[in-house]
Amino acid sequence: MTISGDNPLCSRVLGGVEMTVLCKPAVQVPENVLTMEEALSIAGRLHRHHRELPLVLRLIGNTGVRKRHFLQPIEKTLEHPGFQARNELFLSAAKQQVPQVVEQALAHAELEADQIDLIVFVSCTGFSMPSLTAWMINKMGFRPETRQLPIAQLGCAAGGAAINRAHDFCTAHPGSNALIVACEFCSLCYQPTDVGVGQLLSNGLFGDAVAAAVLRGDDEGVGVRLERNASYLIPHTEDWISYAVRATGFHFQLDKRVPKTMKPLAPVLQRLARQHQRDPARLDFYIIHAGGPRILDDLSQFLEVPSHAFRHSRATLTEFGNIASAVVLDALRRLFDDGGARPGGSGIIAGFGPGITAEMSMGSWTGTPSTTTQGENLP
């Protein structure tokens, strides 16, 4: 396993108002790696008779993904033992990997498990009832009074939603601390019988990862002080990104119009920044969901910001692929590793997903991070 992240983010009180600050995320990816070259070779072999294979290979090649990490070796990933077996694997892998990431995130925030008041757990690639939050409380030292908020149906937008709901909670309960966990094993949603162009493109785009971060409710530390959040749903687009739930599990469905959604969403992001008295084209950092290069390219154009502004999101896409709800946490982790922003510098965090839903927050950088350590290897 590989785990990345180091350094706390905390909270401030300004003008008598509790200001919660997001702590540096910890991110872990499985050890099985699939390169772009290998993905193209596999797609060419498995779908050599597909009438639109040249288009599929071109689309996959244009994703900008250099490599992805999978829970299982590619030979096992391509098998389908059934929905039950896959969901059981999701749960067993989550119970093995989530504790390591959570412990690292708590360490970054300089907190213990019994100091957490809310756990927000997000995933769109596996299911359990009760949620894994119950297992975490029983096994990891969280108090029985800890609130639980599992989110299962917001897909890639859930990372932004988790940040926003944790922010809402900490604002409503001053001094409280919240933990966010995103557990996405997208490889378990591979469906060998789905051969539509959108499905084959997704096979070359998504990867696996677990991420966690803490929102701390005191006045010490370094990080992004969360100050405002918002949600927006593009009307009448609920079938553009969806799951068909069948006997074989979750079948991802992607409409070809999805890459064009940044045109209606860019004004929403601009409006949020202006409500916060900030120029949306001159923010200090942009932590944006990396659904694909077209999303980032279009948003860069519509917001009138240079492509370099989205470098952290692009790095996540290049090195890990689209890791669903974990993208925004990994991109934020990369901002820390890059030295953060100038003290007081403003920025935006945004996740996009089914609905079409946008979950957005504005914040400012507080403090200067110490030297971070990247790529710490775990057994």
Side-chain angles (χ1 to χ4, degrees), residues 18-95:
E18 188 77 13
M19 306 298 286
T20 303
V21 180
L22 184 60
C23 298
K24 180 176 181 178
V27 181
Q28 180 170 291
V29 293
E31 60 188 7
N32 300 293
V33 175
L34 183 72
T35 66
M36 171 58 71
E37 292 75 17
E38 291 168 333
L40 290 172
S41 176
I42 291 169
R45 172 171 55 85
L46 293 179
H47 307 289
R48 58 186 178 276
H49 300 305
H50 198 292
R51 51 188 265 175
E52 296 186 276
L53 180 60
L55 171 63
V56 169
L57 296 180
R58 185 170 72 252
L59 291 174
I60 293 175
N62 289 340
T63 60
V65 177
R66 190 176 68 230
K67 64 178 178 65
R68 290 172 290 157
H69 294 253
F70 288 169
L71 194 59
Q72 304 175 97
I74 187 59
E75 297 79 12
K76 298 291 292 183
T77 300
L78 295 174
E79 295 176 359
H80 196 326
F83 186 28
Q84 178 179 343
R86 280 188 167 178
N87 203 61
E88 289 173 351
L89 178 57
F90 173 90
L91 294 175
S92 63
K95 290 177 180 179

Side-chain angles (χ1 to χ4, degrees), residues 92-247:
S92 63
K95 290 177 180 179
Q96 180 181 27
Q97 297 187 26
V98 164
Q100 301 173 70
V101 182
V102 167
E103 288 168 5
Q104 188 68 59
L106 289 170
H108 294 168
E110 299 181 348
L111 292 177
E112 301 293 334
D114 62 3
Q115 294 174 280
I116 295 297
D117 302 288
L118 168 72
I119 302 174
V120 186
F121 182 90
V122 298
S123 180
C124 61
T125 53
F127 180 79
S128 69
M129 190 172 73
S131 164
L132 276 169
T133 50
W135 178 86
M136 292 169 61
I137 290 171
N138 284 322
K139 299 293 185 180
M140 296 186 60
F142 297 99
R143 304 189 325 275
E145 296 84 5
T146 306
R147 272 85 157 188
Q148 305 172 64
L149 180 56
I151 301 175
Q153 293 162 299
L154 282 178
C156 297
I163 292 171
N164 289 351
R165 301 296 77 78
H167 180 209
D168 292 342
F169 175 84
C170 291
T171 301
H173 303 275
S176 296
N177 304 309
L179 170 70
I180 296 165
V181 181
C183 181
E184 301 288 15
F185 299 135
C186 301
S187 63
L188 295 180
C189 295
Y190 170 71
Q191 297 290 348
T193 61
D194 289 355
V195 294
V197 172
Q199 179 63 49
L200 296 181
L201 171 60
S202 73
N203 292 344
L205 181 62
F206 285 93
D208 299 348
V210 179
V214 170
L215 273 73
R216 239 189 108 136
D218 59 28
D219 59 354
E220 298 179 1
V222 176
V224 178
R225 181 189 298 126
L226 298 179
E227 295 158 350
R228 181 186 297 265
N229 70 61
S231 301
Y232 185 81
L233 184 142
I234 303 177
H236 312 301
T237 58
E238 68 270 21
D239 58 346
W240 288 19
I241 301 175
S242 63
Y243 272 163
V245 183
R246 301 171 182 156

Side-chain angles (χ1 to χ4, degrees), residues 1-4 28 31 97 100-101 104 375-379:
M1 304 295 175
T2 301
I3 190 166
S4 301
Q28 180 170 291
E31 60 188 7
Q97 297 187 26
Q100 301 173 70
V101 182
Q104 188 68 59
E376 179 183 356
N377 291 323
L378 293 179

